[in-house]
Amino acid sequence: MDVTRLREKGLYVPFEEMKHNTAATVKYLFLDAILALIAGMCSMPEGEKQKLTALLDGEPKISRPVWPLDRKTSLEMAGFINGYCIRYADWGDAQRPPQSRGGHPSDMCAAMLALCDKPGVSGKSVIEALHTAYQLWVLVQNRMMYKRPEFDPTTFLSLTLPVMVAVCLGDSPEQTQNVLNLSASSGTTLLQVRPADITNLKCGATGYAIARVFWLYRMSGFLQAPGSMFDGANGWYKVVAKFDGELEAMDDDKTYEQIQVKALPCCNVNQAASECGIRLHQRIDGDSTRIRRITVHVSPTDAGIALKPGKPQYPYDHPTADHHISYCLAAALKYGTLAPIHFEKDYFSDSELRRLIDLTAGVVLTKEELSALGGGKGPCTVEVELNDGKVLTESVPRPAGYFVGMAGDERNAGLHKVVENKRAILEQCYHYDLSEVDKVVLHFEQYEAAALIDAVQTALKRG
């Protein structure tokens, strides 16, 4: 990857040359990530928050993480804590490409929030950097990830983040290339980021990857990479990549239609089922005790994760709960929503939720059913039988926030709807007023980037 050619290849686009729809998409995705970060911070047990806060002691006072409030720390720790929070509730976006496993490009936003506090960083430069990073993420995943399915998507932050940081801070191509070489040259180390050698938590892996890039960025002023990221037995090319030729910019719509934004704080394959459960809650007048049988039909594509054999009958922590389709559906049926608060431990032992889980059977949609729902990823049908024998059915052809086939205005209208719903859930659960955060992000080109941290922290103080 020759960073001297980012603009020539169309991977870097100045804000003034960016299509209006593209800039709007980036803003909505950034706002979505900030809301996911707030949800993660709110979801975290108090003891864990205290341990994270203690990590800041003795660190240089350079940058503010979004949380804890009014605390400055090193750039590395600000990125780490933002990344930890943004992935904690697992409510950020995901890429669902045609042939690879995808990942969570919103993790990049955690690093960008740490950079917002640096003097001279503008809202425009943040939008430019995020657009560059989203393009790189999708290209890297589509061109490399499907060949190496054992790699976790967190690994690819080592490629996208150095470029994003350099674009945001206006570094020279030579320094950018050096950071990129430092970050990507040791491919064997990157193997350990997620598959349990260092951490088996998504939030820890994300925070670690971001902190590592920031540390190398600071060191790049006087450390020279031993060679290109493609050189040596442990280089990216030998260990990870196997590039198919050069990276060329994709059409913006092709880039962003692969990004699915989660409308609800659960695993992507549980989104449609939970939406069906919310609709059914209304139809049973909010009384889940009337239900005596539940059947959830999912697509063959989603069944491997949603109906995973051998999973625990009942969830016992946040990671098992948000990947547990029966639990997510049960919460939606009982409460008429699914919010970060429903992944707190007290809910896992709730007798009514457990009863609903016991009533749930999962099956795979037939070819005919799948065709009727439009096929592909995401379709779902939920059927409940009530105590009086009445059977109610709800279907979702594809969950909210799934934009394949959409372009421009249609995609942004869907994004707007999802972030408004997410914001409403957070405001209702935690009594925040996030309207100023919304305003700053959606008009970010008019602000210095630090105004965003001010707006978020002000909202958190008043909550």
Side-chain angles (χ1 to χ4, degrees):
M1 183 187 303
D2 184 352
V3 297
T4 64
R5 303 173 67 194
L6 288 176
R7 185 162 185 173
E8 175 189 331
K9 295 288 186 182
L11 294 168
Y12 166 71
V13 182
F15 181 82
E16 288 76 14
E17 298 174 20
M18 205 175 289
K19 297 174 186 175
H20 173 75
N21 281 332
T22 300
T25 297
V26 174
K27 292 175 189 177
Y28 281 128
L29 290 173
F30 194 32
L31 178 58
D32 182 78
I34 293 165
L35 296 175
L37 191 159
I38 294 171
M41 178 269 294
C42 292
S43 304
M44 205 179 301
E46 195 58 40
E48 197 164 344
K49 287 183 182 180
Q50 291 173 1
K51 290 177 181 178
L52 274 180
T53 303
L55 292 176
L56 306 185
D57 294 338
E59 292 285 333
K61 311 304 181 188
I62 298 171
S63 183
R64 287 177 294 173
V66 170
W67 170 89
L69 305 179
D70 298 326
R71 291 285 297 271
K72 283 197 171 187
T73 185
S74 64
L75 194 59
E76 294 82 11
M77 282 309 304
F80 179 87
I81 289 182
N82 287 342
Y84 197 91
C85 291
I86 211 170
R87 191 52 49 206
Y88 197 92
D90 211 12
W91 204 5
D93 65 33
Q95 185 203 359
R96 302 195 76 187
Q99 57 185 352
S100 71
R101 289 192 307 153
H104 302 286
S106 56
D107 293 342
M108 303 180 301
C109 298
M112 185 53 68
L113 285 165
L115 288 173
C116 281
D117 232 15
K118 289 186 73 67
V121 174
S122 66
K124 283 184 182 180
S125 63
V126 169
I127 295 167
E128 293 167 353
L130 284 173
H131 178 50
T132 302
Y134 267 101
Q135 289 185 89
L136 285 174
W137 180 281
V138 171
L139 282 168
V140 166
Q141 293 281 44
N142 289 355
R143 300 277 288 279
M144 294 158 56
M145 193 67 170
Y146 74 98
K147 296 182 177 182
R148 300 299 302 269
E150 74 275 19
F151 275 82
D152 186 87
T154 308
T155 306
F156 292 89
L157 289 172
S158 64
L159 260 187
T160 55
L161 286 186
V163 177
M164 184 184 76
V165 173
V167 167
C168 184
L169 299 181
D171 289 330
S172 69
E174 292 75 23
Q175 182 177 353
T176 307
Q177 189 68 61
N178 187 39
V179 179
L180 194 55
N181 290 340
L182 284 169
S183 186
S185 60
S186 184
T188 49
T189 300
L190 299 173
L191 278 166
Q192 302 173 6
V193 170
R194 174 78 161 87
D197 290 338
I198 289 177
T199 176
N200 59 0
L201 288 173
K202 285 185 181 180
C203 48
T206 296
Y208 170 83
I210 293 169
R212 178 182 181 276
V213 168
F214 277 143
W215 185 82
L216 288 171
Y217 178 82
R218 286 211 296 157
M219 297 300 105
S220 68
F222 55 89
L223 280 181
Q224 189 67 33
S228 166
M229 56 190 277
F230 299 110
D231 291 344
N234 295 333
W236 183 278
Y237 187 85
K238 292 285 182 67
V239 179
V240 182
K242 300 183 180 177
F243 270 118
D244 288 334
E246 292 257 348
L247 289 179
E248 300 282 353
M250 297 170 62
D251 177 82
D252 293 350
D253 290 331
K254 290 297 181 184
T255 295
Y256 291 109
E257 73 169 4
Q258 294 183 20
I259 307 299
Q260 179 180 349
V261 173
K262 296 180 182 180
L264 300 165
C266 62
C267 179
N268 296 78
V269 297
N270 298 339
Q271 297 280 311
S274 301
E275 288 182 34
C276 289
I278 290 169
R279 296 180 188 178
L280 288 164
H281 173 86
Q282 302 298 322
R283 295 179 64 184
I284 59 174
D285 300 322
D287 185 5
S288 62
T289 63
R290 298 172 58 193
I291 299 172
R292 72 181 185 191
R293 180 180 60 83
I294 304 170
T295 307
V296 54
H297 304 252
V298 298
S299 72
T301 305
D302 292 341
I305 298 177
L307 306 179
K308 197 171 186 178
K311 71 172 182 286
Q313 179 72 359
Y314 311 115
Y316 52 86
D317 60 11
H318 194 292
T320 58
D322 75 2
H323 279 64
H324 198 296
I325 193 169
S326 301
Y327 176 80
C328 294
L329 178 56
L333 287 167
K334 178 178 178 180
Y335 300 110
T337 188
L338 189 63
I341 199 169
H342 297 133
F343 295 97
E344 295 178 2
K345 286 190 176 181
D346 289 347
Y347 286 87
F348 302 151
S349 57
D350 180 87
S351 59
E352 175 61 7
L353 291 179
R354 290 195 166 193
R355 186 187 77 86
L356 294 172
I357 290 171
D358 292 339
L359 296 177
T360 303
V363 297
V364 180
L365 289 163
T366 66
K367 289 183 178 179
E368 293 76 17
E369 291 171 325
L370 187 61
S371 177
L373 288 171
K377 298 178 179 178
C380 178
T381 296
V382 175
E383 179 183 281
V384 297
E385 181 182 350
L386 305 183
N387 292 329
D388 60 6
K390 187 176 181 180
V391 176
L392 303 176
T393 301
E394 286 286 349
S395 295
V396 172
R398 64 183 189 182
Y402 188 38
F403 304 118
V404 172
M406 294 185 187
D409 291 338
E410 184 183 11
R411 180 184 64 243
N412 287 332
L415 273 167
H416 188 199
K417 185 175 181 180
V418 169
V419 296
E420 282 296 301
N421 176 66
K422 190 173 293 189
R423 186 180 129 194
I425 289 174
L426 286 175
E427 290 183 333
Q428 182 178 1
C429 287
Y430 303 109
H431 311 294
Y432 295 131
D433 178 359
L434 299 170
S435 57
E436 188 64 22
V437 177
D438 185 284
K439 173 189 170 185
V440 171
V441 176
L442 296 184
H443 299 88
F444 208 22
E445 68 275 13
Q446 301 174 18
Y447 292 87
E448 290 300 303
L452 176 57
I453 308 299
D454 293 336
V456 175
Q457 292 205 350
T458 298
L460 296 180
K461 289 174 186 176
R462 293 174 179 170

